[in-house]
Amino acid sequence: MPGLRIENLSKTFSTKSARVTALDCLNLEIKDEELLVVLGPSGCGKTTLLRIIAGLEKPDSGEIAIDSNSLLQTPAKDRNIGFAFQYPALLPQLTVEQNISLGPKLRGVSALERDERIRILANLLGLTELLPRLPETLSGGQQQRVSLARALATEPRLLLLDEPLANLDPTSRAELRDAIRRVRRQLRVTTIYVTHDQSEAAAIADRIAIVRAGALQQIGAASELYANPANLFVAEFFALERPNILNGQWAESTFRASNANFSIPTNLRHTGKTICVIRPAAIRANGPMRGKIVELTQTGWSTSALISTEGVQLRASIPPDTILAEGNDLEFSLEPSGVLFFNAEGTRLG
């Protein structure tokens, strides 16, 4: 199956009061048989991108091509792209089996081949026992699995998934996530998966493309994005816990926080305004630095501690077996890999 190339894709929408930019010269390459997650906050253009690829929207400019063949002049019905939406939108009067088989039937696939496709997909997605049932009798997770099977039944050259886990409870989310990974391993269909959930993206993606305001910020494996964020937005957004962000100045190989005595020595060379990001997990409960515990929050798997030190407050994520108490002093250190520096424009230093 072919990969996909997106070049300088732009799209704006007009409202009564303004023009809104959904996509801003977006460039992406999705590799053959890859599962690429497009990750970003609500309103950043993720769904618009999928709708343009599927032919449900027209871009203002740019190109989309599969195997060097442009898609933009091809009607949506002829693109053979599978699309599973956030809401399953199954036909209520049809059974699960009929919903799945509808696409191949409309494309003239023989009854024998349709039955074989349904058998394979039902087995992969745990739907075999549900085939005679109507959608209204299914749970949300089951309906999404049917929606995924329906999108795959036409044997699409490209699969688009628009936040398929967004409206599910945690157990159903985990089950469907596992089902998507299982389907992808077996069918090897090139897939673009949209979400705003960082942990979901990291668990399922081959690569992640982080998008902000319709523009690509960074693309890579989850481990790469976390270890080496290209800019401040990626460092803030691609994190399970909101990091500590300190504004300050760089002088004599030392970062000094504004209006405080807090400082961090470093070997980086820089001058002028600097933004320091300290991840909560980088704060270790032992070391040469001292502070006072202002607040504690127990999560079960860690303790969130707010530490006041040298005129700043830092949020730390401490292992739950560490004995802590509000009002007590705390000796701590900073793990260097969890301390990141950015210039005034938000570009990574070092």
Side-chain angles (χ1 to χ4, degrees):
M1 288 176 283
L4 183 75
R5 176 173 48 83
I6 297 167
E7 291 184 352
N8 298 318
L9 200 66
S10 294
K11 177 68 177 179
T12 59
F13 294 96
S14 295
T15 67
K16 291 183 178 179
S17 58
R19 286 180 64 83
V20 177
T21 299
L23 296 175
D24 186 10
C25 293
L26 184 70
N27 290 277
L28 279 176
E29 282 197 15
I30 296 87
K31 300 175 183 177
D32 183 29
E33 298 185 355
E34 178 180 36
L35 194 158
L36 178 81
V37 170
V38 179
L39 173 68
S42 297
C44 74
K46 304 184 300 293
T47 296
T48 299
L49 172 64
L50 294 192
R51 289 179 60 84
I52 290 174
I53 294 171
L56 304 178
E57 297 276 359
K58 291 185 177 180
D60 298 330
S61 60
E63 178 62 279
I64 304 174
I66 291 181
D67 239 7
S68 300
N69 298 316
S70 176
L71 275 184
L72 295 182
Q73 304 306 315
T74 304
K77 65 182 180 61
D78 298 326
R79 294 189 185 189
N80 193 19
I81 292 175
F83 202 148
F85 298 89
Q86 181 176 343
Y87 299 97
L90 302 174
L91 295 175
Q93 72 276 21
L94 301 183
T95 65
V96 167
E97 182 174 5
Q98 290 168 335
N99 267 281
I100 297 172
S101 68
L102 183 59
K105 184 176 181 180
L106 293 175
R107 286 166 172 78
V109 177
S110 69
L112 187 63
E113 186 174 348
R114 291 201 307 268
D115 290 345
E116 179 63 12
R117 291 186 191 182
I118 292 170
R119 184 191 66 78
I120 292 171
L121 290 170
N123 184 57
L124 273 174
L125 292 167
L127 297 173
T128 303
E129 302 299 321
L130 305 180
L131 291 176
R133 291 171 56 176
L134 293 172
E136 65 182 12
T137 69
L138 306 179
S139 68
Q142 289 170 335
Q143 288 186 24
Q144 275 294 19
R145 280 187 276 147
V146 176
S147 178
L148 178 58
R150 181 179 61 183
L152 289 164
T154 58
E155 296 186 344
R157 54 181 174 177
L158 183 67
L159 177 65
L160 308 178
L161 303 177
D162 187 8
E163 302 208 47
L165 310 186
N167 301 308
L168 304 181
D169 61 79
T171 299
S172 297
R173 287 169 67 92
E175 290 175 350
L176 183 56
R177 188 178 62 202
D178 291 344
I180 291 171
R181 286 189 297 206
R182 187 166 59 249
V183 165
R184 184 181 167 274
R185 281 197 303 268
Q186 179 130 346
L187 302 183
R188 309 302 301 177
V189 59
T190 305
T191 303
I192 304 176
Y193 183 113
V194 154
T195 183
H196 62 269
D197 187 300
Q198 297 88 339
S199 59
E200 182 181 318
I204 205 166
D206 293 322
R207 290 189 303 156
I208 299 170
I210 297 181
V211 175
R212 179 191 188 191
L216 180 66
Q217 302 296 301
Q218 190 173 357
I219 186 168
S223 57
E224 177 187 347
L225 298 178
Y226 185 77
N228 298 298
N231 57 44
L232 181 60
F233 174 78
V234 174
E236 286 189 80
F237 187 75
F238 195 64
L240 293 181
E241 300 175 291
R242 178 170 173 78
N244 303 284
I245 300 175
L246 304 176
N247 292 302
Q249 296 288 326
W250 201 285
E252 299 176 356
S253 299
T254 300
F255 167 80
R256 300 183 186 280
S258 300
N259 303 315
N261 294 322
F262 184 82
S263 63
I264 303 173
T266 174
N267 293 326
L268 294 176
R269 294 183 178 181
H270 180 60
T271 57
K273 183 179 177 181
T274 306
I275 302 168
C276 176
V277 170
I278 303 174
R279 289 174 170 149
I283 300 175
R284 306 292 174 84
N286 276 306
M289 307 176 80
R290 294 182 64 85
K292 184 178 290 292
I293 300 172
V294 177
E295 178 184 277
L296 290 175
T297 304
Q298 303 290 342
T299 66
W301 50 86
S302 68
T303 300
S304 178
L306 185 63
I307 304 166
S308 178
T309 177
E310 301 291 345
V312 301
Q313 290 192 334
L314 301 176
R315 179 69 63 178
S317 182
I318 308 294
D321 56 354
T322 305
I323 299 175
L324 303 171
E326 290 184 2
N328 283 5
D329 291 336
L330 178 70
E331 295 180 345
F332 67 95
S333 61
L334 300 178
E335 173 61 37
S337 64
V339 181
L340 312 172
F341 296 99
F342 302 83
N343 65 18
E345 291 72 40
T347 302
R348 176 81 180 275
L349 298 171

